């Protein structure tokens, strides 16, 4: 029996027990955060907490969350953006908390991990042999077919070993194509009552376990799908904690983005051919061929108007997919599982093609001010193998969705090391659908909560600061004397500056570039000018490159986006972070440019709301790579002089940790030399 409410220790007592069990020390920011989380749970107001690296924020929300779950016999959902954090919670923090809190809570708190159905192997699909037929290109590539065959054989062997069927536990992993052959979306699933293997189904077992747990760990994508779908994906819960909340809007946008490709139309047509009139399937296949020709002729980029030939091709796909769906006839609920599986797979792919064609057409039916979706034709990303073109539709904003389906339904705690931009929570709050801070209450308030009860869901913002003394431990150097960055790659003066800084630091450099092209250019040029070893993202797996970088202080690592957010290297191997330019979205980024225009159409400042906010978030994340422990010291060097000279520079600087700032290159090089000598 759980203890009665009055017998449960307070959150601060539980936190003390938890911290001593994990062998740490209590930190003021952690205590303040745990108390704020407990208060939010009590009052039902939403809470945004900025907690710097080293605060111990996961314990600060897990402890009050578990107390609440045990006290109320309720379920709490914790959502993360990255697998790394998910693993840290599941493999390290929660097992320790289970033990530490068992006695004070009167029973062992329980937790489970839940992901989207696509992440679990579907035994029915594997057994029924309903794998996709190879497309025409693959048919003529025997190597591709045999490689796929080997991967599927490996998956068949893995089935007898795995207890969870969770893709993330398959090491090494398999290609996306292979995984798709053995997994289903929730639309494609037969349903547990109809599926012959329903009782052994991995996805169903995970869901059942999650339904019994006090705390469910999931990801932002599933949280988004739960909000987007008409039916419940996550078990009943009354509290949501969103960690890595700075990434919530991007992840929800991705989950709400639809894509139409020629391959998807052809695959749906092939599936349809197995279960309905071949003539109908051929009609869809032809519609897909017409779409291919038009898509190949279309330049990459945002579409503000729908070209007539494309409108025609989409309408033909929509009608042909609808005809196939009608041709499936009513679901007879036959006892033949293979027939039912084939029908369900065809129906779901046809639904997807049909619904996406309808959505793409509708996106152009409203005027600019009421547009909900932005549509673009994808282009070559410049990294990785070339991908065939696709037409995509993404929501211009997800604020209304989050306000209604997340904040409107559950008390929500949002946390991250980076939630205040330009010194306030305003930008983040608006993107989540929460009202901005009240006029005059927007100063950054370390350790002090500010109540924001203006229109919209009630929420509180709290910055618990950081255990690091940024002004004493780090220097922010802006190379004010350099020319502004141009379009034609890195100017020679940037490379001169970079090599001088790296040599002064004795290596130990993380180079964060705004594009892969710039990272490669710098790598090639500097390898000729210095003996310091330089690793470049893409030359091996990022995890391995980061490990090599961490192991050898002389080694430098150059790269782009994933390094801005994913490198955690405490100690003397990282004493210099160099940023080549302010990471504004590219002017041809379809989503960012459309969002910017939408803000301007409403009379707002599109550049500040979208481009500068995007850059501020990335800069805060990137420059936060420098200090990862209280002993760390070093320099963040921004080569782009606009940080010091442009009007928006103040907003960007106010988003960064409070390092001591200078534009004097000699002072910085001398500091780096001293650090190198002392390390
Ligand atoms: S219930 Fe759905 S996911 Fe599970 S095995 Fe059956 S078809 Fe696959």
């Amino acid at each position: 029996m759980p203890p009665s409410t009055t017998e449960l220790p307070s959150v601060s007592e539980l936190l003390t027990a938890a911290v001593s069990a994990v062998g740490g020390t209590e930190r003021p920011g952690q205590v303040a955060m745990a108390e704020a989380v407990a208060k939010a749970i009590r009052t039902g107001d939403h809470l945004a907490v900025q907690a710097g690296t080293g605060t111990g924020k996961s314990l600060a929300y897990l402890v009050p969350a578990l107390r609440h779950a045990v006290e109320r016999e309720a379920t709490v959902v914790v959502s993360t953006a990255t697998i790394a954090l998910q693993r840290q919670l599941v493999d390290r923090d929660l097992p320790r908390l289970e033990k530490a809190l068992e006695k004070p809570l009167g029973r062992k708190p329980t937790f489970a991990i839940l992901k989207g159905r696509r992440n679990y192997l579907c035994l029915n699909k594997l057994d029924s042999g309903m794998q996709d037929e190879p497309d025409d290109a693959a048919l003529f590539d025997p190597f591709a077919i045999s490689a796929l065959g080997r991967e599927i054989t490996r998956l068949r062997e893995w089935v007898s070993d795995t207890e969870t069927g969770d893709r993330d536990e398959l090491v090494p992993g398999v290609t996306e194509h292979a995984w798709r052959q053995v997994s289903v979306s929730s639309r494609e699933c037969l349903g547990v009552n109809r599926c012959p293997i329903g009782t052994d189904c991995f996805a169903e077992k995970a869901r059942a376990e999650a339904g019994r747990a006090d705390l469910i760990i999931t990801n932002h994508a599933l949280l988004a799908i739960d909000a987007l779908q008409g039916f419940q994906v996550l078990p009943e819960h009354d509290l949501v904690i969103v960690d890595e909340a700075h990434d919530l809007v991007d992840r929800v946008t991705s989950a709400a983005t639809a894509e139409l490709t020629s391959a998807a139309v052809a695959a749906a047509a092939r599936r349809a051919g197995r279960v309905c009139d071949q003539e109908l399937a051929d009609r869809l296949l032809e519609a897909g061929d017409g779409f291919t020709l038009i898509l190949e002729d279309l330049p990459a980029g945002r579409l503000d108007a729908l070209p007539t030939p494309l409108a025609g091709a989409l309408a033909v796909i929509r009608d042909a997919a609808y005809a196939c769906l009608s041709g499936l006839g009513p679901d007879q609920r036959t006892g033949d599982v293979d027939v039912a599986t084939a029908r369900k797979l065809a129906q779901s792919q046809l639904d997807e093609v049909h619904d996406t064609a309808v959505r793409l057409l509708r996106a152009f039916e409203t005027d600019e001010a009421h547009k909900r979706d932005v549509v673009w034709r994808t282009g070559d990303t410049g990294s990785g193998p070339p991908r065939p073109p696709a037409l995509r539709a993404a929501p211009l904003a997800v604020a209304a969705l989050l306000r209604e389906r997340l904040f409107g339904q559950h008390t929500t705690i949002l946390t991250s090391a980076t939630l205040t931009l330009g010194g306030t929570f305003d930008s983040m709050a608006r993107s989540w659908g929460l009202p901005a801070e009240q006029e005059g209450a927007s100063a950054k308030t370390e350790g002090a909560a500010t109540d924001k009860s203006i229109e919209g869901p009630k929420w509180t913002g709290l910055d618990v600061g950081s255990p690091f003394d940024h002004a004493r431990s780090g220097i922010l150097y802006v190379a004010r004397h350099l020319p502004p960055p141009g379009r034609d790659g890195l100017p020679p003066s940037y490379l001169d500056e970079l090599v001088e800084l790296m040599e002064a630091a004795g290596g130990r450099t993380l180079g964060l570039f705004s594009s892969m092209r710039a990272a490669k250019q710098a790598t090639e040029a500097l390898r000729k000018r210095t003996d310091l070893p330089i690793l470049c993202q893409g030359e091996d797996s990022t995890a391995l490159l980061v490990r090599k970088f961490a192991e050898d202080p002389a080694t430098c690592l150059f790269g782009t986006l994933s390094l801005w957010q994913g490198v955690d290297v405490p100690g003397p191997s990282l004493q210099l972070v160099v940023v080549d330019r302010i990471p504004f979205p590219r002017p041809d980024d379809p989503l960012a440019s459309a969002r910017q225009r939408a803000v301007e159409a409403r009379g707002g400042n599109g550049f500040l709301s979208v481009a500068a906010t995007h850059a501020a978030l990335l800069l805060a994340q990137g420059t936060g790579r420098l200090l990862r422990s209280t002993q760390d010291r070093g320099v963040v060097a921004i080569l782009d002089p606009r940080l010091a000279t442009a009007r928006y520079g103040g907003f960007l600087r106010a988003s960064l940790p409070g390092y001591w700032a200078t534009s004097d290159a000699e002072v910085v090089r001398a500091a780096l030399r001293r650090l190198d000598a002392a390390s």
Side-chain angles (χ1 to χ4, degrees), residues 117 122-124 184 189-192 195 197-198 201 203-204:
R117 195 166 289 262
C122 168
L123 291 167
N124 181 47
V184 291
C189 166
L190 274 183
V192 63
C195 175
I197 314 177
C201 169
E204 291 298 331

Side-chain angles (χ1 to χ4, degrees), residues 46 402-404 407-408 433-435 452-459:
H46 308 297
L402 291 174
R403 185 168 54 232
E404 191 188 320
F407 300 110
L434 293 174
K452 292 139 202 94
S453 48
I454 50 175
E455 250 182 86
K458 209 170 167 204
W459 68 284

Side-chain angles (χ1 to χ4, degrees), residues 349-538:
Q349 291 193 5
L350 289 167
D351 271 337
E352 197 151 329
V353 165
H354 173 267
D355 295 354
T356 306
V358 168
R359 181 172 168 187
L360 287 161
L361 285 163
R362 283 209 183 127
F364 297 94
E365 284 171 5
T366 47
D367 57 67
E368 195 62 38
H370 297 95
K371 259 194 190 317
R372 296 178 63 171
D373 274 335
V374 52
V375 175
W376 73 95
R377 187 257 202 213
T378 60
D380 210 349
T381 56
S383 60
R387 291 191 60 201
L391 209 55
R392 284 201 188 139
L396 264 173
V398 294
L401 172 80
L402 291 174
R403 185 168 54 232
E404 191 188 320
R405 306 301 303 266
L406 180 64
F407 300 110
Q409 317 248 337
H410 318 283
T411 303
T412 306
I413 319 279
L414 304 119
T415 186
S416 163
T418 319
L419 289 184
T420 63
L421 298 175
T424 80
F425 287 96
D426 283 0
S427 304
M428 284 288 176
R430 279 199 212 96
S431 69
W432 296 328
L434 293 174
E437 290 179 292
Q438 287 172 29
E439 202 89 15
S442 58
K444 191 169 173 178
T445 47
E446 278 209 3
T450 318
D451 200 16
K452 292 139 202 94
S453 48
I454 50 175
E455 250 182 86
K458 209 170 167 204
W459 68 284
T460 302
L462 173 69
D463 181 354
V464 297
S466 159
F468 304 149
D469 186 345
H470 287 94
R472 284 173 179 273
S473 308
I475 297 175
L476 173 67
Y477 165 57
V478 184
R480 206 187 168 104
H481 61 283
L482 290 179
R487 289 177 176 215
D488 307 319
L490 294 169
S493 52
Y494 277 45
L495 296 171
D496 295 343
E497 186 83 27
L498 185 49
V499 79
E500 283 171 22
L501 290 166
M502 282 164 58
E503 293 201 322
R508 314 172 196 279
T509 306
L510 177 66
L512 300 178
F513 293 85
S514 51
S515 70
M516 208 51 228
R517 200 173 124 230
K520 283 183 182 160
Q521 186 198 343
T523 306
E524 268 173 40
L526 296 194
R527 275 179 180 158
K528 292 180 193 143
R529 294 180 56 176
T530 173
D531 293 332
L532 294 166
I534 302 173
L535 306 172
C536 186
Q537 197 179 357

Side-chain angles (χ1 to χ4, degrees), residues 115-345:
K115 302 173 186 177
R117 195 166 289 262
R118 228 345 142 207
N119 292 272
Y120 300 95
L121 186 135
C122 168
L123 291 167
N124 181 47
K125 195 166 178 191
L126 192 72
D127 274 12
S128 66
M130 289 289 169
Q131 282 83 46
D132 293 336
E133 283 167 20
D135 60 25
D136 293 348
L139 265 176
F140 297 106
D141 183 351
F143 293 111
I145 292 181
S146 61
L148 181 65
R150 279 197 300 277
E151 288 194 302
I152 300 216
T153 306
R154 218 184 113 219
L155 285 163
R156 284 189 184 282
E157 287 162 7
W158 179 63
V159 163
S160 46
D161 294 338
T162 176
E163 297 212 338
T164 62
D166 180 347
R167 183 181 179 178
D168 291 328
E169 291 182 10
L170 177 67
V171 182
V174 290
T175 57
E176 181 62 23
H177 188 192
W179 186 256
R180 285 202 164 254
Q181 310 306 311
V182 297
S183 63
V184 291
S185 65
S186 33
R187 265 184 174 188
E188 291 168 335
C189 166
L190 274 183
V192 63
N193 294 330
R194 212 167 166 202
C195 175
I197 314 177
T199 44
D200 291 326
C201 169
F202 292 124
E204 291 298 331
K205 279 192 203 160
R207 203 176 136 72
E209 203 183 319
R212 291 188 295 269
D214 294 314
L215 195 130
I216 300 169
I217 304 290
T218 189
N219 52 42
H220 295 355
L222 196 63
L223 195 66
I225 290 164
D226 191 61
L228 286 162
Q229 305 277 6
F231 55 91
Q232 223 180 7
V233 179
L234 291 163
E236 198 67 46
H237 56 281
D238 67 350
L239 175 67
V240 177
I241 296 170
V242 183
D243 201 340
E244 300 178 312
H246 60 273
D247 238 355
L248 182 65
V249 166
D250 279 356
R251 302 285 171 140
V252 173
T253 302
S254 296
T257 297
E259 180 179 275
L260 192 65
T261 61
S262 308
V265 179
R270 283 195 297 273
R271 286 258 177 235
R274 295 185 185 187
V275 285
C276 74
D277 193 342
Q278 189 58 45
E279 243 179 71
L280 292 173
D282 288 346
R283 202 176 124 195
L284 181 59
L285 206 57
E286 277 169 32
D289 290 343
F291 177 62
T292 307
L293 293 176
I294 290 166
L295 206 56
E296 277 169 1
D297 278 351
L298 207 62
R302 197 182 72 214
L303 291 173
D304 293 329
L306 186 60
T308 309
L310 182 59
L314 288 172
V316 172
I317 288 178
R318 176 197 62 198
D319 297 345
Y322 187 77
C324 288
L325 281 164
S326 307
L328 292 177
D331 185 356
Q332 300 296 330
R333 304 256 148 197
T334 62
D336 187 331
V337 176
D338 286 351
V339 173
T341 303
R343 190 184 187 287
K344 188 77 187 180
L345 289 171

